[in-house]
Structure formats: C-alpha cells, structure tokens
Amino acid sequence: MLNASYEPLNITSWRRAIVLLLKGKAEQVEHNGRYIYAEFPLPTVIRLRYYVRVPYKEIPLTRRNILERDRHTCQYCSYKGEQLTLDHIVPRSRGGGDSWENLVAACVRCNVKKGNRTPREANMRLRTQPRKPYSSLHFDIVKHTQGNLNQEWKKYVIGI
Ligand SMILES: [Zn+2]
C-alpha cells in the first residue's frame, strides 16, 4: 500500500486492499493480471487517496539488520549462506566507521581476500551501493520481492 505521496506505507492482504478500493479510499496502481471476479483484477499495488503521516523510526545498525538488508548475500561474490561476516568497505584501520554506508555482508573468503584494502585497491566490485534502509518496512519488502515475487513493487521502492 502506497501513501498518497507514492511512498510505501505497509504490506497488506489483497482482501483489505479490495475493501479499500471498493470504499473508494484507495486507487489501484498495479495488478498482476489475475482476476478474482470477472471485472476485478487482483491488486498488487494500491495508493491511498489521502495522505497519512508516518512517524520516523530509526532502524538500529546491527549485524542482523545489515545481513537482512543485504539479503544474506556476499556483496562481492554473491555467495548466499549462513557463514557471512561484515566487511568495512573502507577498513576501520584507515578511518572507515560503522555505518550503513560502510558496512556490507561479505563471505569469509572475500573478506580475507580484500583484507586491509578498499574495494578499488583490491579490485573487488560491490554488487550494490549500500544504503540506510528507510524503515523496517524495507526489510519486509525485501522478503516479499525475493526471486520473481511481486516484481511490480520494485519501482515504488528505493534501494531494493
Ligand atoms: Zn564473497
């Protein structure tokens, strides 16, 4: 569900989405081509007709949240698994701090290979530019857009 401003608000069930559409509180933005009733395509993205104010909630910078943001995938070689470490893009010994922009998930092999160097020096490319997730909704959206799921959501979400 998008706010009137097109920012993602929450993830809701299609039943609730249809209720909001029928009540005229929301408009359909995307559907996936499947129909529940002959003339009613199943909504996958709806937008509220009125603006809802959302209080800003800071997401704690934790190992778990960084791994979650990076989909438990090494940001250098795409290895996916449990044995992941956190890599400081600019090494700590060289002034790199703990931040959303400087920490990424990395497999042990890549972390050791990169060592005390920057990605450029080590000639290792980051898959994506790490960003701060804007809300805990970010994580839910990541989960719901794995593989080929809900691909039509992605254009409404920054940094996915
Ligand atoms: Zn790796």
Side-chain angles (χ1 to χ4, degrees), residues 14-153:
W14 62 263
R15 283 172 198 279
R16 183 164 147 68
I18 284 172
V19 169
L20 289 166
L21 291 174
L22 290 175
K23 285 184 173 170
K25 291 187 172 174
E27 62 170 4
Q28 180 160 299
V29 180
E30 301 278 346
H31 64 79
N32 63 6
R34 284 160 59 200
Y35 284 74
I36 324 158
Y37 309 111
E39 76 291 12
F40 211 169
L42 200 60
T44 54
V45 180
I46 62 168
R47 172 178 167 250
L48 285 180
R49 292 190 188 278
Y50 51 93
Y51 184 76
V52 176
R53 271 189 75 91
V54 189
Y56 181 73
K57 221 174 120 211
E58 189 79 32
I59 300 172
L61 181 70
T62 61
R63 177 188 152 78
R64 197 173 146 240
N65 285 342
I66 288 166
L67 293 179
E68 189 102 353
R69 179 197 64 187
D70 294 343
R71 298 176 184 234
H72 297 271
T73 304
C74 173
Q75 294 300 294
Y76 296 104
C77 75
S78 302
Y79 163 85
K80 218 169 152 56
E82 295 304 309
Q83 306 293 321
L84 288 168
T85 62
L86 292 188
D87 173 58
H88 285 80
I89 300 171
V90 176
R92 226 190 270 220
S93 61
R94 300 174 58 180
D98 293 337
S99 67
W100 287 106
E101 294 78 15
N102 197 46
L103 285 165
V104 287
C107 71
V108 177
R109 229 179 114 231
C110 287
N111 209 334
V112 169
K113 185 178 156 202
K114 179 169 169 282
N116 203 25
R117 299 178 291 178
T118 64
R120 183 185 289 250
E121 290 166 352
N123 201 19
M124 292 165 73
R125 274 177 72 105
L126 281 167
R127 296 173 73 233
T128 50
Q129 196 56 40
R131 296 176 208 239
K132 181 179 180 174
Y134 56 85
S135 74
S136 55
L137 177 60
H138 185 107
F139 296 137
D140 295 335
I141 294 171
V142 166
K143 273 185 213 141
H144 281 83
T145 53
Q146 302 274 23
N148 283 325
L149 279 174
N150 300 309
Q151 290 303 299
E152 67 278 12
W153 290 12

